[in-house]
């Protein structure tokens, strides 16, 4: 069975903070007394700005609610639900109400919707708690993290088994509250296989939390350095603090890289297990543009402090996109002799269902290309920039096409700086291969 072994190392590398060290301690702290985390439930609107026909069917009521919300009248939409008879409502309708309030972090209203839902005899679902936890994440209430813990702990009390989406929503709460240690404690409790194993969103949330914490500490480092002034040498205390912050940054970056390698290992394990039909209830992992952007932004942020660490972004980009290896081959025959390797991003997509049309599987967008080319430029790795671009043309041409005009001048400049002649075959799509 696959284990998420890198997470314990991540926790050890974190700087010491005054946070209970286990998820169970957090649960005890936040759920021991619900009065301490009481958030006032604001009444839901019961009157509309104009007169509406109240549907007498749960399906039609849900459609009416969505229609009025699309018109920008959320209060009217909720009032329509409140005016309808309980027999014409449903759990789906109330999930829509709670979900709309959750989108803008209106936690008080979302909680009131939860109360009204149960008063009418409708049982909450996994989607109900996902929406409530998302409301906690966006809310600016000082008690939103405690309320999220309370809500998550109550899921089983309603006879519901928490889903990985519920876990992700809880992790998002801690991400918005900048509590990386709590995220890792919960993440460490997740199994490596099965329906509760981490999915792409889970890894993205954790890596985003690392990015924010590293950026926060880089900002702190700059502030400490600036405190001594341009001419004055830092005091002994400042020098020691600078050294400690640098150590924390380097340790955290190392832990982030371990987590990235864990993700890759996990993804490859699931792909192989699916081929042998060993895993039936574990979702496939793949790489999307958002995930790779998170990691590349970390590498960009840390490059100014430590170039060696920042260059890891280029290694990750090559790992994901497979930099073209035919550059420099003087003849077509030599280029043909070089075996074509399928990039990791394309390889992992083989484990994804082709029937799922609701998910964006794009692994290339303008921000990703800009980040990789930016790292190449900062590190004067012009040949690597060209190899990266050629690989995109070969393996991800359909996703690259809308971006070609935007980045063509930069690619032309890279050829000139690398002193590499650009042939007609280097311009266009004659090396393209289909990609998902």
């Amino acid at each position: 069975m696959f284990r998420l072994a890198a997470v314990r190392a991540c926790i050890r590398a974190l700087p010491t903070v005054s946070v209970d060290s286990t998820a169970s301690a957090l649960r005890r702290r936040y759920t021991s007394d619900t009065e301490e985390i009481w958030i006032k439930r604001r009444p839901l609107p019961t009157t509309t700005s104009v007169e509406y026909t109240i549907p007498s069917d749960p399906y039609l009521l849900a459609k009416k609610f969505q229609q009025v919300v699309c018109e920008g009248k959320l209060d009217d939409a909720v009032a329509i639900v409140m005016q309808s008879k309980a027999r014409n409502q449903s759990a789906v309708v109330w999930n829509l109400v709670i979900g709309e309030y959750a989108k803008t972090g209106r936690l008080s209203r979302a909680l009131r919707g939860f109360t009204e839902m149960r008063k009418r005899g409708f049982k909450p679902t996994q989607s109900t708690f996902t929406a409530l936890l998302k409301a906690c994440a966006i809310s600016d209430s000082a008690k939103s993290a405690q309320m999220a813990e309370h809500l998550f702990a109550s899921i089983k009390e309603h006879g519901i088994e928490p889903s990985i989406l519920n876990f992700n929503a809880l992790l998002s709460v801690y991400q918005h509250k900048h509590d990386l240690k709590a995220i890792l404690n919960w993440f460490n409790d997740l199994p490596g296989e099965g329906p509760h194993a981490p999915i792409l969103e889970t890894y993205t949330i954790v890596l985003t939390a690392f990015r924010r914490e590293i950026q926060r500490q880089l900002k702190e480092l700059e502030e400490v350095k600036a405190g001594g002034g341009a001419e004055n040498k830092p005091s002994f205390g400042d020098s020691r603090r600078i050294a400690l912050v640098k150590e924390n940054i380097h340790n955290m970056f190392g832990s982030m890289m371990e987590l990235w390698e864990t993700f890759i290992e996990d993804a490859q394990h699931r792909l192989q297990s699916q081929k042998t039909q060993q895993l039936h209830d574990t979702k496939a992992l793949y790489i999307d543009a958002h995930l790779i952007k998170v990691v590349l932004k970390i590498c960009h942020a840390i490059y100014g402090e430590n170039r060696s660490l920042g260059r890891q972004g280029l290694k990750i980009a090559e790992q994901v996109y497979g930099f073209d290896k035919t550059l420099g081959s003087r003849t077509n025959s030599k280029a043909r002799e070089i075996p074509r390797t399928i990039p990791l991003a394309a390889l992992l997509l083989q484990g994804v269902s082709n029937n799922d049309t609701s998910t964006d599987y794009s692994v290339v967008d303008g921000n990703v290309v800009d980040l990789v080319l930016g790292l190449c430029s900062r590190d004067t790795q012009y040949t690597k920039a060209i190899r990266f671009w050629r690989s995109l043309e070969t393996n991800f041409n359909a996703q690259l096409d809308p971006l070609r005009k935007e980045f063509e001048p930069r690619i032309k400049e890279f050829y000139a700086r690398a002193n590499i002649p650009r042939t007609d075959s280097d311009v266009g799509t004659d090396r393209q291969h289909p990609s998902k």
Side-chain angles (χ1 to χ4, degrees):
M1 178 179 290
F2 184 81
R3 296 289 182 185
L4 302 172
V7 183
R8 290 185 179 84
C10 294
I11 295 175
R12 285 198 301 270
L14 287 176
T16 302
V17 292
S18 57
V19 178
D20 288 326
S21 60
T22 64
S24 59
L26 287 166
R27 283 193 289 270
R28 288 194 300 272
R29 190 179 78 195
Y30 290 150
T31 62
S32 58
D33 188 354
T34 55
E35 291 185 2
E36 293 182 3
I37 56 171
W38 177 258
I39 295 176
K40 184 178 180 181
R41 274 77 162 163
R42 292 187 60 193
L44 299 183
T46 56
T47 58
T48 58
S49 59
V50 296
E51 188 175 348
Y52 293 92
T53 302
I54 308 299
S56 57
D57 175 82
Y59 174 75
L60 295 177
L61 181 60
K63 286 192 66 175
K64 185 74 172 182
F65 177 85
Q66 292 172 311
Q67 176 189 340
V68 177
V69 167
C70 288
E71 295 172 358
K73 299 178 180 179
L74 176 57
D75 284 349
D76 279 5
V78 175
I80 291 173
V81 175
M82 292 292 289
Q83 291 175 16
S84 66
K85 295 180 179 180
R87 66 173 180 267
N88 298 327
Q89 301 172 3
S90 67
V92 173
V93 170
W94 281 106
N95 281 344
L96 289 173
V97 172
I98 295 169
E100 285 300 322
Y101 282 131
K103 287 179 182 179
T104 53
R106 297 171 72 177
L107 180 56
S108 175
R109 286 284 179 89
L111 290 171
R112 185 55 182 255
F114 184 48
T115 300
E116 296 291 341
M117 176 187 194
R118 289 177 295 160
K119 275 173 57 177
R120 287 159 175 75
F122 298 110
K123 293 183 178 180
T125 64
Q126 290 177 339
S127 298
T128 309
F129 286 100
T130 298
L132 288 169
L133 291 168
K134 286 183 177 179
C136 292
I138 305 174
S139 171
D140 57 3
S141 170
K143 299 179 180 180
S144 57
Q146 291 94 325
M147 177 55 72
E149 283 282 357
H150 172 68
L151 289 168
F152 188 84
S154 70
I155 294 178
K156 288 189 176 182
E157 296 174 7
H158 288 86
I160 304 170
E161 182 66 24
S163 70
I164 187 60
L165 297 181
N166 296 141
F167 278 101
N168 288 345
L170 179 63
L171 295 182
S172 293
V173 174
Y174 288 118
Q175 179 191 308
H176 283 82
K177 306 306 176 186
H178 307 285
D179 195 343
L180 178 56
K181 195 155 190 173
I183 289 177
L184 293 178
N185 278 314
W186 281 96
F187 182 78
N188 194 42
D189 287 338
L190 296 176
E193 297 175 357
H196 296 112
I199 59 176
L200 175 65
E201 182 188 4
T202 318
Y203 279 103
T204 303
I205 291 170
V206 181
L207 286 168
T208 301
F210 267 108
R211 176 177 68 83
R212 290 182 174 180
E213 181 61 23
I214 289 174
Q215 288 179 326
R216 185 192 67 79
Q217 295 209 17
L218 285 169
K219 182 179 179 181
E220 179 183 349
L221 180 62
E222 289 302 315
E223 290 174 353
V224 176
K225 287 181 177 179
E231 299 178 356
N232 300 327
K233 291 184 178 180
S235 65
F236 175 78
D238 284 343
S239 297
R240 180 170 174 77
R241 186 180 173 193
I242 289 172
L244 288 173
V245 174
K246 282 186 176 182
E247 183 180 0
N248 280 337
I249 292 171
H250 294 180
N251 287 341
M252 195 164 296
F253 184 85
S255 296
M256 183 278 295
M257 289 299 298
E258 287 182 14
L259 185 59
W260 169 260
E261 291 301 326
T262 297
F263 166 75
I264 297 301
E265 183 184 349
D266 191 3
Q268 292 173 330
H269 169 74
R270 295 190 197 187
L271 178 63
Q272 187 60 36
S273 297
Q274 284 181 338
K275 289 180 179 179
T276 57
Q277 298 184 342
Q278 292 178 348
L279 295 180
H280 300 285
D281 55 355
T282 306
K283 286 190 175 182
L285 285 174
Y286 59 95
I287 298 172
D288 70 353
H290 183 54
L291 178 72
I292 194 67
K293 276 186 287 190
V294 171
V295 180
L296 291 175
K297 284 179 179 179
I298 298 175
C299 295
H300 260 285
I302 206 168
Y303 185 90
E305 164 59 26
N306 188 306
R307 290 188 179 184
S308 177
L309 297 182
R311 289 190 186 107
Q312 296 296 315
L314 294 178
K315 292 183 179 180
I316 290 173
E318 185 166 7
Q319 180 185 32
V320 171
Y321 299 103
F323 289 4
D324 181 75
K325 292 182 172 60
T326 63
L327 187 65
S329 301
R330 297 294 183 182
T331 64
N332 290 333
S333 60
K334 284 187 177 181
R336 283 195 295 268
E337 290 174 3
I338 300 175
R340 178 175 176 265
T341 304
I342 301 177
L344 180 63
L347 187 66
L348 293 178
L349 284 176
Q350 295 177 1
V352 176
S353 172
N354 291 314
N355 298 324
D356 184 1
T357 58
S358 62
T359 304
D360 182 9
Y361 294 111
S362 299
V363 73
V364 177
D365 66 12
N367 289 328
V368 169
V369 176
D370 184 61
L371 286 166
V372 176
L373 295 183
L375 272 176
C376 291
S377 182
R378 292 179 74 176
D379 208 45
T380 63
Q381 299 275 357
Y382 306 127
T383 303
K384 279 193 175 181
I386 298 169
R387 291 175 57 206
F388 166 67
W389 183 260
R390 286 166 62 102
S391 180
L392 295 185
E393 287 184 321
T394 301
N395 300 288
F396 306 97
N397 190 65
Q399 298 176 36
L400 182 65
D401 263 346
L403 311 172
R404 196 180 299 278
K405 185 176 180 180
E406 176 185 353
F407 289 99
E408 183 59 34
R410 290 176 68 178
I411 300 304
K412 185 177 180 181
E413 180 184 354
F414 283 130
Y415 269 96
R417 292 197 174 195
N419 197 26
I420 297 176
R422 195 178 189 190
T423 63
D424 292 339
S425 63
D426 292 323
V427 182
T429 61
D430 43 334
R431 289 189 309 278
Q432 63 184 298
H433 294 267
S435 63
K436 191 166 182 173

